Amino acid sequence: MKYGEFGGQYVPQELKEKLNIIKNEFKNAIKDKKFIDEYKYYLKQYVGRPSPLYYACNLTKYIGGAKIYLKREDLNHTGAHKINNAIGQALLAKRIGMTHVIAETGAGQHGVATATVCALLGLKCTVFMGEVDVKRQHVNVEKMEMLGATVVSVKRGNGTLKEAVDEAFEYFLDHKDVFYLIGSAVGPEPYPEMVKFFQRVIGDEARKQILKQEGKLPSAIVASVGGGSNSIGLFTAFLKDKLDIYGVEGAGLGISTGKHASAISNNKIGVLHGMKTYIMQDDNGNIKDAYSISAGLDYPGIGPEHAYLNKIGRVKYDSITDKDAISAFKLLTRLEGIIPALESSHAIAYAIKIAKKYNKSDSIIVNLSGRGDKDLNTILNLKKD
Ligand SMILES: *Cc1c(COP(=O)(O)O)cnc(C)c1O
């Protein structure tokens, strides 16, 4: 398997055949200059890349440690990193001749990104979203529908991201002409590899930018981890370098309360959504519900490459509570005039925690994976409680 004991393709035989068509076409596509040029064209002219690497001077002064740099994925069209991958996979779907794209979404960000690229490329779009998330992220639902997508509210189980993925997989299996555009570095082969390929632009850019701006590599890089796409996108370019890499999961109300979204802290391996990886589960192997204030981190698993990077000790995975993420959200907003997504706020909170362990001449790159507009209601509702 690709990632040590992790990953694989734990799906029914019929689905394997479909996945292998996608896998082969993906391998051909990334060797095809025309495909890559088209992907790069959209990243530049449609998404607005390269995204800046911003030195957060005020935050750095306030914390008093290493220089904190923000990779501004929040400035991308549709407000997060998800569009990088959505464009890549939608172009692949078109290449294969699949005209109906489906997607799952938690925060709504991946749904909006998918609905957007489907509008752009003239593809039919259906988005599966948990009932609870439909309520939490209502503006994104309105947006997807305006963009021409059909949003299916998934009522089973917890009504969040996990159930939306379950439903999307069933639909994918049942419909031959449908392409499943997965939004994170999860799922059966070849998805984790494809998502990494389409997101690694984040780290490739950031590495060049920091070398230009600082004249040397950072001492640490930090990203939030839901399924693990913005993080693997940042990490990939730096894995062979000598620096500290941190992946930050949602600790929710605290790991000890059981109400969290940290699959790695559990240290239990299992199979979910076609892959073998760390999964939140009870002693009987039942999947436990994930919880985080941030809908994008609310997933009981983690991408298989992260499981591997954890096992070999190359990346340190840790977690940040809702409370600390909210503090970081407020601090960045006030000090820098940048309203971060709650997911990204977890990474910022972690950088704040570790900045003092490094020298002032060191730098830390934090992936600001998205903007916080979608989270304003969540923050406003806190005040009412
Ligand atoms: C979806 C999302 C995440 C979490 O997903 P990953 O696949 O782990 O990156 C993080 N930040 C934002 C802004 C998101 O929309």
Side-chain angles (χ1 to χ4, degrees), residues 80-82 109 183-184 224-230 296-297 341 343-344 369-370:
H81 68 288
K82 298 241 165 53
Q109 289 296 97
S184 190
S224 65
V225 181
S229 72
N230 85 85
L297 301 186
E343 293 85 357
S344 323
S369 51

Side-chain angles (χ1 to χ4, degrees), residues 3-145:
Y3 316 110
E5 70 196 276
F6 305 104
Q9 220 180 43
Y10 294 84
V11 296
Q13 188 58 37
E14 307 111 270
L15 197 51
K16 272 193 179 172
E17 285 160 23
K18 204 170 169 180
L19 289 170
N20 289 336
I21 293 171
I22 294 175
K23 186 173 170 175
N24 287 333
E25 205 51 53
F26 169 66
K27 276 191 190 156
N28 294 335
I30 62 176
K31 281 186 259 158
D32 180 351
K33 186 171 180 299
K34 221 178 123 209
F35 179 85
I36 296 297
D37 284 349
E38 198 177 7
Y39 165 65
K40 286 190 175 161
Y41 168 82
Y42 284 117
L43 287 189
K44 182 163 189 255
Q45 304 294 358
Y46 190 73
V47 177
R49 304 203 71 91
S51 65
L53 182 69
Y54 169 69
Y55 169 45
C57 174
N58 299 332
L59 180 66
T60 298
K61 272 199 195 125
Y62 183 85
I63 304 300
K67 292 180 168 179
I68 299 175
Y69 278 85
L70 305 174
K71 181 59 176 159
R72 299 290 307 275
E73 294 299 299
D74 61 313
L75 294 177
N76 292 344
H77 180 45
T78 70
H81 68 288
K82 298 241 165 53
I83 190 98
N84 305 325
N85 167 58
I87 286 201
Q89 283 193 52
L91 288 172
L92 186 66
K94 257 194 122 157
R95 184 185 165 101
I96 302 172
M98 292 172 168
T99 53
H100 182 187
V101 167
I102 62 165
E104 83 297 336
T105 195
Q109 289 296 97
H110 175 56
V112 170
T114 304
T116 299
V117 301
C118 286
L120 173 70
L121 300 174
L123 296 160
K124 183 178 166 187
C125 182
T126 305
V127 179
F128 296 90
M129 190 170 186
E131 186 179 32
V132 173
D133 291 334
V134 167
K135 285 195 196 119
R136 289 203 269 207
Q137 306 287 347
H138 204 256
V139 175
N140 276 342
V141 175
E142 301 283 356
K143 263 193 213 167
M144 286 183 266
E145 288 175 347

Side-chain angles (χ1 to χ4, degrees), residues 226-248:
S229 72
N230 85 85
S231 48
I232 206 71
L234 176 67
F235 297 170
T236 300
F238 296 95
L239 284 175
K240 293 200 179 95
D241 295 319
K242 215 178 143 239
L243 46 78
D244 299 327
I245 305 183
Y246 300 98
V248 186

Side-chain angles (χ1 to χ4, degrees), residues 342-362:
L342 275 171
E343 293 85 357
S344 323
S345 302
H346 286 70
I348 295 158
Y350 201 76
I352 290 171
K353 238 178 160 172
I354 61 166
K356 276 193 169 154
K357 291 188 197 163
Y358 296 92
N359 295 323
K360 287 193 173 178
S361 58
D362 292 336

Side-chain angles (χ1 to χ4, degrees), residues 194-219:
M194 285 200 296
V195 175
K196 171 168 75 172
F197 182 86
F198 293 128
Q199 290 292 4
R200 67 164 296 165
V201 62
I202 300 171
D204 288 342
E205 284 177 7
R207 198 171 187 285
K208 276 192 207 136
Q209 289 167 318
I210 197 78
L211 286 173
K212 194 159 179 213
Q213 288 167 237
E214 280 291 314
K216 61 175 183 179
L217 287 171
S219 296

